[in-house]
Amino acid sequence: MRIIRTAVEMRDAVEPARNDGVVVGLVPTMGALHAGHLALVRRARLDCGLVVVSLFVNPTQFNANEDFDSYPRNEAHDLELLERNGVDIVYAPTAAEMYPDGFGVTVTVTGLTEGLCGARRPGHFDGVTTVVSKLFAHCRPDAAYFGEKDYQQLKVVERMVLDLDLSIRIVGIPVVRERDGLALSSRNAYLNVYERRIAPALQDTMRAVAGRLSGDVELEAQCRWGRDALLAAGFDEVDYFEIRDSKTLQSVEACRPGLRVFVAAWLRETRLIDNVAVDEVE
Ligand code: AMP
């Protein structure tokens, strides 16, 4: 497994494979890897002849009051996991390599970024689409793998690729969960034992709401119920509990196929997000 830290070297490394018609797959991550990330890697390994995983904690997608400094970092452990999972190249650039002095471009997707996390984390998706554009330019993948855990991010990246005419196939991978239903996340490491016991209420509550959605049930009332249930379970604050269209992420008034429940809530200092397709829940 090669470890590459500069854009020039990265481009040189994929060039021969591309010329030989080898399919190049990219899995962008911020490190602190867990089984959720590895599900993306395994799928890339199945689909592609050359698998690149990027490790980069991207400063521009964190707000000033967010957890950039404390975000978990453990490169040695990440490299070991990636090697064991058959990755060919790890791309781990420095912040100076990604954002040299004078850097002045921001890639913005409008519309899809306006609600949910976009409303709560101003500038977050600009940071994501800008860094993902650069990773695409450096790694030149044919396919890139993103988790449905960050469902809004997946939709935003799909839109960016479509609107910029990039010939990159975006592959979404279902959420990988702990046995008790908590979605795997690097931020779960922040939870103390007490908070960890409360955390599965996130998915339990989403599923409870999803299970009630049929006929002329009032969606807003269901979301209020979900929000209250999370607070009652011990969450300290709910950023949003919403039901939206899975494709457009538009708010919806009435029950119909193709809906998704989205939630973001805080356990003390830790913000957790999750989502579930209503059609998946019986
Ligand atoms: P991150 O390192 O948190 O930026 O995540 C890198 C990629 O892994 C993103 O595409 C995430 O959506 C995906 N991912 C993170 N957690 C999970 C999970 N539990 N299941 C599936 N994909 C995930």
Side-chain angles (χ1 to χ4, degrees):
M1 187 175 80
R2 269 186 82 182
I3 300 160
I4 293 179
R5 305 215 181 255
T6 66
V8 170
E9 233 188 306
M10 186 63 236
R11 245 182 283 199
D12 287 350
V14 286
E15 192 68 16
R18 288 187 64 85
N19 290 340
D20 289 347
V22 173
V23 175
V24 178
L26 171 66
V27 181
T29 82
M30 298 205 298
L33 301 181
H34 50 65
H37 297 111
L38 296 179
L40 274 60
V41 170
R42 271 196 295 275
R43 176 63 193 277
R45 187 69 282 172
L46 280 177
D47 292 353
C48 307
L50 185 87
V51 175
V52 182
V53 174
S54 63
L55 300 177
F56 182 62
V57 184
N58 174 34
T60 66
Q61 69 190 71
F62 291 78
N63 290 310
N65 57 349
E66 291 184 344
D67 57 342
F68 175 70
D69 290 332
S70 57
Y71 195 83
R73 293 164 171 87
N74 189 346
E75 195 184 89
H77 183 246
D78 291 343
L79 294 177
E80 204 183 302
L81 279 178
L82 295 175
E83 176 124 55
R84 261 196 268 141
N85 281 271
V87 169
D88 299 302
I89 298 176
V90 174
Y91 182 42
T94 60
E97 179 71 14
M98 292 302 267
Y99 302 113
D101 281 348
F103 185 82
V105 167
T106 301
V107 178
T108 299
V109 171
T110 56
L112 285 168
T113 56
E114 276 156 28
L116 304 173
C117 285
R120 288 290 176 158
R121 304 182 68 188
H124 167 70
F125 285 116
D126 283 357
V128 169
T129 40
T130 303
V131 81
V132 168
S133 301
K134 289 190 61 108
L135 291 170
F136 286 174
H138 299 174
C139 304
R140 313 216 23 233
D142 298 289
Y145 297 80
F146 291 85
E148 289 185 350
K149 160 77 176 16
D150 302 279
Y151 192 85
Q152 188 176 18
Q153 169 176 280
L154 168 65
K155 292 288 129 185
V156 166
V157 170
E158 281 174 358
R159 186 80 243 171
M160 176 184 85
V161 162
L162 196 68
D163 289 358
L164 291 178
D165 310 303
L166 305 176
S167 52
I168 299 172
R169 190 163 66 93
I170 301 300
V171 183
I173 304 291
V175 184
V176 178
R177 299 179 179 281
E178 301 278 9
R179 287 161 77 108
D180 61 10
L182 177 65
L184 296 188
S185 163
S186 306
R187 290 190 168 97
N188 292 353
Y190 298 152
L191 301 175
N192 66 29
V193 176
Y194 171 74
E195 293 160 347
R196 177 62 188 79
R197 263 189 239 132
I198 298 171
L202 211 57
Q203 114 121 353
D204 293 343
T205 308
M206 285 191 312
R207 292 182 74 87
V209 165
R212 295 158 164 219
L213 299 185
S214 62
D216 54 4
V217 74
E218 202 205 319
L219 300 188
E220 228 182 280
Q222 291 302 322
C223 292
R224 274 199 305 277
W225 181 88
R227 185 178 280 267
D228 290 345
L230 286 178
L231 296 172
F235 276 85
D236 295 290
E237 206 184 322
V238 180
D239 271 0
Y240 57 78
F241 194 112
E242 293 192 42
I243 298 162
R244 292 190 174 225
D245 181 89
S246 288
K247 289 213 175 83
T248 64
L249 302 188
Q250 291 290 310
S251 296
V252 284
E253 304 278 289
C255 221
R256 55 174 165 77
L259 300 183
R260 229 170 162 96
V261 184
F262 293 91
V263 64
W266 293 83
L267 278 166
R268 302 266 158 91
E269 305 290 298
T270 308
R271 184 176 185 272
L272 300 178
I273 64 169
D274 204 346
N275 68 91
V276 70
V278 171
D279 305 331
E280 261 174 38
V281 179
E282 288 306 316

